[in-house]
Amino acid sequence: MLSQNQISHLKLFFFTVLISLSFPIGSHITATMDPLIVTWVRYLLASVLFVGLLILKGQFRIPSAKDLGRYTLISLPALSYFVAMFIALRETSPLDASALYTTVPLMSAVLAAIVFKRRTSLAVTLSLVGGMLGAALIIFRGDISAAGSIAMTTSNKIYLLGCLGMALNPIIVKKCYKGESFVHLTCWTLICATGLLTLATAPQLIQTQWTQIPGDIWLGIGYLAVFATAISFFLFQQGSVALAPEQVSAYTYLIPVLVMLVNRFTGDMVPWESVSYGVVTVLLSMTVMIRRGAPAQEQPAAQPAQAIAK
């Protein structure tokens, strides 16, 4: 019988798998569509999915203005990351972006220590550093010295600010969670995010030739909306409430490993000898993170069992 802590880690693992599978699909779609438009569509479709689910369960209700503000706040870190990423990737290379993203768990640990006023144990700190090193070894194909080629250009600084937003993501979810159903929480977080994106992309939405979008692109967007947005948001928010923020963010380190495995199935073979040390380091670091468990004092004081189950 799995413990609640182990179930939370399992949910975050599936969240990471869904995100990793979205990379080749997202790359194919954004080659022909504006990434911001793709993001708007996936958020909109995911919102509709959750609204429909709540209506079927007879649980759909409009939140108070105060709760809407809370859900908007929860949506901001991920949105700030996407906006920063789309701006930065006009000049920042995918390699630079991947390397910079490995800083997210460490930033999350530092921010969590400040917000929750607690120390991160030495074992967790070492595993975070080890995970970052392992992920970098995979990204740079075993040549860690290549990390020295990353220059702090304006684009890279913008992307690093976006990474700071992602580091804040599990902290904001944990801090703002008030014990409601996770279906309700995810639904209104997505709706608020969609509203903000609508304001930001209104001109592009009007100019987009919706009837000219091919069927395979719509299928890809469907995957991103249902699995990489709706379900992944649901799993991420549950994990963020149950575990420490640095544990949640540490799953970032598994993404290069999983993307590499996905690429092997698509024919992009990476020599094992160039990434083996990185893969082993990441897996060892993740094992330490999982075995540590979430600090008891960070569990929400009022967290109804029925809310977790939904």
Side-chain angles (χ1 to χ4, degrees):
M1 188 72 175
L2 294 176
S3 68
Q4 186 61 49
N5 183 269
Q6 290 170 326
I7 292 172
S8 296
H9 278 290
L10 195 59
K11 288 175 180 176
L12 280 173
F13 174 74
F14 283 120
F15 156 80
T16 309
V17 170
L18 294 175
I19 293 298
S20 300
L21 289 172
S22 73
F23 276 81
I25 297 172
S27 177
H28 174 65
I29 293 172
T30 53
T32 57
M33 282 186 71
D34 185 328
L36 274 177
I37 297 299
V38 174
T39 304
W40 178 82
V41 175
R42 63 190 282 192
Y43 269 81
L44 176 66
L45 293 178
S47 299
V48 171
L49 179 67
F50 271 94
V51 168
L53 180 60
L54 284 174
I55 290 174
L56 285 174
K57 295 174 70 175
Q59 297 176 357
F60 182 79
R61 66 183 188 278
I62 305 296
S64 66
K66 183 178 180 180
D67 282 340
L68 280 175
R70 181 162 57 91
Y71 297 141
T72 301
L73 180 61
I74 291 173
S75 74
L76 284 176
L79 273 181
S80 64
Y81 168 75
F82 283 124
V83 171
M85 180 183 71
F86 294 141
I87 293 173
L89 284 179
R90 294 171 183 169
E91 298 179 16
T92 299
S93 70
L95 191 65
D96 280 10
S98 299
L100 290 171
Y101 195 77
T102 63
T103 63
V104 168
L106 274 176
M107 286 195 289
S108 193
V110 172
L111 291 168
I114 295 171
V115 173
F116 297 111
K117 296 180 174 60
R118 65 165 180 81
R119 289 185 178 182
T120 301
S121 69
L122 179 61
V124 170
T125 301
L126 290 176
S127 67
L128 285 169
V129 174
M132 185 169 72
L133 176 63
L137 283 169
I138 297 170
I139 292 166
F140 291 108
R141 299 294 187 263
D143 182 14
I144 196 67
S145 64
S149 64
I150 299 175
M152 276 287 87
T153 61
T154 300
S155 293
N156 282 349
K157 289 177 181 176
I158 290 172
Y159 186 74
L160 201 56
L161 285 174
C163 290
L164 179 61
M166 284 304 287
L168 277 168
N169 203 11
I171 297 172
I172 295 296
V173 173
K174 180 182 285 289
K175 199 74 175 174
C176 293
Y177 178 62
K178 300 299 181 185
E180 64 265 63
S181 159
F182 281 107
V183 175
H184 181 82
L185 174 68
T186 305
C187 177
W188 283 100
T189 301
L190 289 168
I191 289 173
C192 291
T194 304
L196 292 174
L197 277 170
T198 302
L199 293 175
T201 61
Q204 295 97 310
L205 293 176
I206 296 171
Q207 296 167 7
T208 300
Q209 302 295 317
W210 298 101
T211 58
Q212 303 301 315
I213 299 174
D216 64 320
I217 298 296
W218 279 117
L219 284 174
I221 291 175
Y223 173 85
L224 294 179
V226 175
F227 296 98
T229 306
I231 296 176
S232 67
F233 263 55
F234 183 72
L235 295 173
F236 179 85
Q237 290 179 342
Q238 286 189 322
S240 295
V241 168
L243 302 174
E246 62 268 25
Q247 290 179 306
V248 177
S249 295
Y251 277 85
T252 296
Y253 294 147
L254 282 178
I255 291 178
V257 178
L258 295 172
V259 169
M260 183 186 68
L261 291 175
V262 171
N263 287 343
R264 290 183 75 87
F265 284 108
T266 59
D268 183 10
M269 305 292 285
V270 177
W272 172 249
E273 58 270 17
S274 67
V275 295
S276 58
Y277 291 113
V279 172
V280 171
T281 304
V282 166
L283 294 179
L284 287 174
S285 298
M286 290 304 303
T287 299
V288 173
M289 293 298 298
I290 291 170
R291 288 177 66 86
R292 292 301 300 170
Q297 68 268 29
E298 288 190 16
Q299 297 297 334
Q303 188 173 317
Q306 66 268 28
I308 297 176
K310 294 178 182 177

